[in-house]
Amino acid sequence: MSEHFFWWTNEQKAIYKDVREFVEENYEEAEEYFWNTKFPWPLVKKVAEKGYFGVGVPKEFGGLELGATGSCIVAAQLGRLYAVGHVFTVSMLAGLEQILRFGTDEQKQAWLPKIASGEELGALCITEPFAGSDAANVFTSAIKEGDDWVLNGKKRFITGAGVSDRYFIYAKTSDDKALRKQYGHITAFMVEKGRPGFSLEKINPLIGFDNVPNGYIDFDHVRIPDSNRIGAVGNGWNVMMAGLNFERLIGAAVFSGQFEDVINLLFHFTKRRVQFNRTTNQFPGVQDGIAEIITKAKVSRLYSYHCAKLLDDGKEPMVEASIAKMINTEYARDIGLKAIQILGGDGLTKFLPAERLLREAKIGEIVAGTNEVQKMIIYRFSAMLPFYNTSMRLRWNDDVNAPIISKKESKFKGFSITDENVLKVIAHDYKVNPGLYMTPDDVREDIGGSRSDLRKIFEELETQGLIVTHRDRAGKIVLVKATYTGLQNAFPKVYYQWFPDWYNNADKF
Ligand SMILES: Cc1cc2nc3c(=O)[nH]c(=O)nc-3n(C[C@H](O)[C@H](O)[C@H](O)COP(=O)(O)OP(=O)(O)OC[C@H]3O[C@@H](n4cnc5c(N)ncnc54)[C@H](O)[C@@H]3O)c2cc1C
């Protein structure tokens, strides 16, 4: 396998080698914490000493400045150290991208060196008991009192709860309905452990995250200074969104090192397990399964680094980050399941890391926005992209007597804009696309005219029962089609008929 991608810088290649060696040296120790269900503080300190927490932090604030690509490289390797990978990612996600983009110079000076040093861990706090996928529906409130803010509310499912010192939270700063509609009711804050009224409520027993604390936190009249506000009042949604692309990418990348370990394990194991007098790697089904795992591991790794490059190039890869998150976690689930199947009963034991991957994958499919939410983002943002919205109009081609996707002008172009001609355009579209409506712009493209003139004609034709309109919630006409009466009025029946050459004339009626 080519371990580096050609666009990585020499520094990124160097950290890959460095962190890989670190992981190899510390793998056994991480396993001991896993087996003892202990938070791996000494290992976290070692990660901090190596400077890995600063991989995405600019050099001027004590970091390594290796961007999203460097962060992915480190996350993917530290993910092999189980709890360490989770803590590393969440600590960076709890402020790095948000402060870099929205923090003041003072805030950058105050927080970024702390993130880089890893002396204090961070937690990202979006989710609440009543606000999960609908992350804008926060109930935790922040009310301004003098120069301070007073926080009340709860956050839940917070990774690193308790062990973290910094909590990056989003709170409601307005109940104004108009602001709420524009997502202008949320503000971002940093809250430090130790503030009076700030407490840990619960630690969740989970399907995975065996030695990673995840829980509820409570704010009871917690007072913080205005200098802990990140970004403008009411700009929290944008701060959250800015952080989320990075979060989804890094959270997903954490699986890719584990995929490598599982592939190594499968080759090792199946060359040594004998059934029916053959090593199991000789069974075609086992080979297929391993090939499928390798394919998924490679595809997800490539896609993650593609997305990281976009981030490093200053793009907003909303769709790509969602895809990276979705495929990494779905592939992690598939790889976990397939690996267990190949390993047989041994795969179901905790002695081998396959069952662990499956459990973590299920968490991955839910955290940082469920995969259903990712699909919603992928669909909605792609639907707006010009790239996917080039015209695909079918037009009737008289030479071949069939509809063909064409960029040619409509035969109605230049006709006068009358009720009769507009009806002809719409009826002709039935001949070409019998099951589809036309948009008003399709009609306009075919015959010309102004939008308002066409709207009036549509309304008139509708009143006469010659066309049907489909309207949006505001009552605006968004689609039109001819009624059967409209079709009869526009052209004789023969206009719509079409038979293949082989069809017997005697059978026509
Ligand atoms: C182990 C773990 C760690 C976590 N770490 C953190 C953390 O550090 N910080 C943090 O803030 N949060 C964290 N979370 C919370 C996580 O981000 C949420 O659990 C997640 O966003 C889903 O919210 P929910 O659990 O309330 O599910 P819900 O939002 O109640 O969703 C329930 C179901 O409804 C579906 N659904 C909801 N809305 C839609 C829709 N519009 N369209 C289609 N389907 C929909 C969902 O896909 C899901 O299947 C963590 C969660 C877990 C389990």
Side-chain angles (χ1 to χ4, degrees):
M1 183 182 85
S2 166
E3 296 184 69
H4 301 151
F5 288 105
F6 63 85
W7 58 87
W8 286 6
T9 63
N10 286 338
E11 279 175 305
Q12 287 162 346
K13 288 176 188 164
I15 193 129
Y16 175 75
K17 182 169 178 287
D18 189 69
V19 68
R20 222 181 143 82
E21 283 167 9
F22 176 84
V23 168
E24 302 291 341
E25 279 163 23
N26 291 284
Y27 191 84
E28 201 167 331
E29 191 179 333
E31 287 298 291
E32 286 168 13
Y33 292 111
F34 167 75
W35 275 99
N36 294 328
T37 328
K38 286 250 159 44
F39 187 74
W41 272 122
L43 256 183
V44 171
K45 299 280 175 227
K46 281 194 206 171
V47 172
E49 279 158 23
K50 290 290 288 181
Y52 295 147
F53 281 103
V55 63
V57 177
K59 287 184 177 152
E60 60 175 310
F61 301 110
L64 302 173
E65 201 169 323
L66 296 177
T69 302
S71 305
C72 272
I73 292 170
V74 176
Q77 289 305 313
L78 293 184
R80 300 169 61 200
L81 301 181
Y82 197 55
V84 177
H86 291 303
V87 170
F88 163 77
T89 50
V90 98
S91 197
M92 277 205 312
L93 304 176
L96 171 58
E97 194 73 4
Q98 300 91 327
I99 292 170
L100 274 177
R101 293 178 58 174
F102 294 91
T104 60
D105 287 345
E106 291 75 25
Q107 287 170 332
K108 287 178 185 162
Q109 294 292 349
W111 301 107
L112 293 179
K114 286 189 184 169
I115 294 176
S117 75
E119 282 166 25
E120 292 181 350
L121 295 180
L124 177 63
C125 314
I126 301 173
T127 310
E128 298 189 6
F130 303 104
S133 301
D134 187 6
N137 193 30
V138 289
F139 283 74
T140 296
S141 63
I143 293 173
K144 191 88 191 283
E145 277 189 20
D147 289 339
D148 293 343
W149 291 88
V150 177
L151 305 173
N152 279 289
K154 292 179 193 295
K155 295 280 172 185
R156 72 163 179 168
F157 286 132
I158 304 309
T159 302
V163 294
S164 299
D165 286 283
R166 282 179 283 113
Y167 294 79
F168 198 91
I169 79 151
Y170 296 90
K172 180 179 65 159
T173 42
S174 170
D175 284 318
D176 184 288
K177 283 195 177 137
L179 267 184
R180 169 75 177 78
K181 268 194 174 163
Q182 296 156 13
Y183 296 91
H185 62 302
I186 303 174
T187 305
F189 299 95
M190 189 71 96
V191 187
E192 304 95 330
K193 181 152 119 183
R195 295 256 173 208
F198 181 26
S199 62
L200 185 62
E201 186 172 279
K202 189 194 283 180
I203 293 295
N204 293 311
L206 291 164
I207 185 174
F209 273 36
D210 296 21
N211 55 338
V212 184
N214 171 282
Y216 289 57
I217 50 177
D218 183 79
F219 303 92
D220 180 3
H221 295 87
V222 179
R223 189 171 280 276
I224 53 168
D226 190 46
S227 55
N228 281 28
R229 170 176 51 81
I230 315 296
V233 175
N235 202 28
W237 185 255
N238 291 331
V239 178
M240 193 194 294
M241 291 302 117
L244 274 180
N245 285 340
F246 188 65
E247 175 183 0
R248 289 181 176 137
L249 171 64
I250 305 301
V254 91
F255 284 105
S256 96
Q258 297 173 56
F259 295 166
E260 283 173 40
D261 284 338
V262 166
I263 294 166
N264 276 318
L265 168 72
L266 289 174
F267 278 122
H268 177 91
F269 187 100
T270 60
K271 285 177 189 172
R272 288 164 179 78
R273 172 75 180 159
V274 177
Q275 288 293 291
F276 299 100
N277 214 22
R278 285 188 196 177
T279 51
T280 54
N281 70 342
Q282 292 182 60
F283 297 128
V286 167
Q287 292 181 2
D288 281 4
I290 297 177
E292 208 176 288
I293 288 173
I294 293 169
T295 306
K296 287 188 166 151
K298 277 181 170 284
V299 168
S300 62
R301 185 170 188 260
L302 173 63
Y303 201 84
S304 297
Y305 287 107
H306 158 65
C307 180
K309 178 79 171 88
L310 293 177
L311 270 172
D312 286 338
D313 287 350
K315 308 265 168 36
E316 268 316 337
M318 195 86 181
V319 169
E320 288 79 3
S322 285
I323 294 174
K325 191 269 174 183
M326 191 177 75
I327 64 171
N328 271 282
T329 55
E330 285 186 359
Y331 286 3
R333 180 202 58 205
D334 296 347
I335 291 172
L337 274 171
K338 185 76 64 185
I340 290 171
Q341 201 66 21
I342 291 169
L343 297 166
D346 285 315
L348 292 169
T349 71
K350 293 197 178 190
F351 300 123
L352 298 178
E355 65 81 40
R356 199 188 307 175
L357 177 62
L358 178 62
R359 291 186 291 120
E360 295 303 310
K362 198 60 229 167
I363 292 179
E365 288 189 281
I366 288 176
V367 297
T370 63
N371 284 357
E372 289 77 15
V373 168
Q374 305 311 322
K375 285 176 196 160
M376 213 163 75
I377 294 169
I378 294 164
Y379 176 82
R380 286 192 186 164
F381 281 81
S382 300
M384 293 186 295
L385 290 177
F387 183 75
Y388 290 128
N389 285 286
T390 51
S391 177
M392 292 284 285
R393 295 288 303 277
L394 279 176
R395 293 201 184 284
W396 198 264
N397 183 304
D398 288 329
D399 294 339
V400 295
N401 192 31
I404 291 181
I405 290 177
S406 162
K407 293 201 185 304
K408 282 192 190 138
E409 246 187 19
S410 150
K411 67 177 184 178
F412 299 103
K413 200 75 183 191
F415 280 33
S416 52
I417 316 297
T418 61
D419 291 11
E420 194 189 354
N421 286 338
V422 170
L423 179 63
K424 277 191 189 321
V425 169
I426 300 172
H428 172 76
D429 197 64
Y430 167 77
K431 179 182 166 94
V432 183
N433 302 290
L436 298 187
Y437 285 69
M438 295 180 90
T439 67
D441 279 346
D442 291 339
V443 178
R444 193 158 165 255
E445 188 186 329
D446 284 359
I447 193 169
S450 72
R451 287 198 170 92
S452 64
D453 285 349
L454 284 177
R455 183 175 44 78
K456 283 182 206 140
I457 292 175
F458 295 152
E459 284 167 354
E460 179 54 31
L461 291 172
E462 188 174 37
T463 312
Q464 292 173 29
L466 299 173
I467 67 164
V468 174
T469 65
H470 182 74
R471 292 166 189 256
D472 66 12
R473 282 189 196 158
K476 190 175 152 202
I477 296 172
V478 287
L479 291 170
V480 294
K481 75 171 174 100
T483 60
Y484 297 141
T485 314
L487 294 176
Q488 282 165 2
N489 277 22
F491 297 107
K493 268 195 179 68
V494 66
Y495 187 77
Y496 306 108
Q497 288 176 338
W498 188 87
F499 303 101
D501 291 343
W502 56 265
Y503 197 77
N504 195 344
N505 269 335
D507 292 336
K508 292 180 187 167
F509 60 91

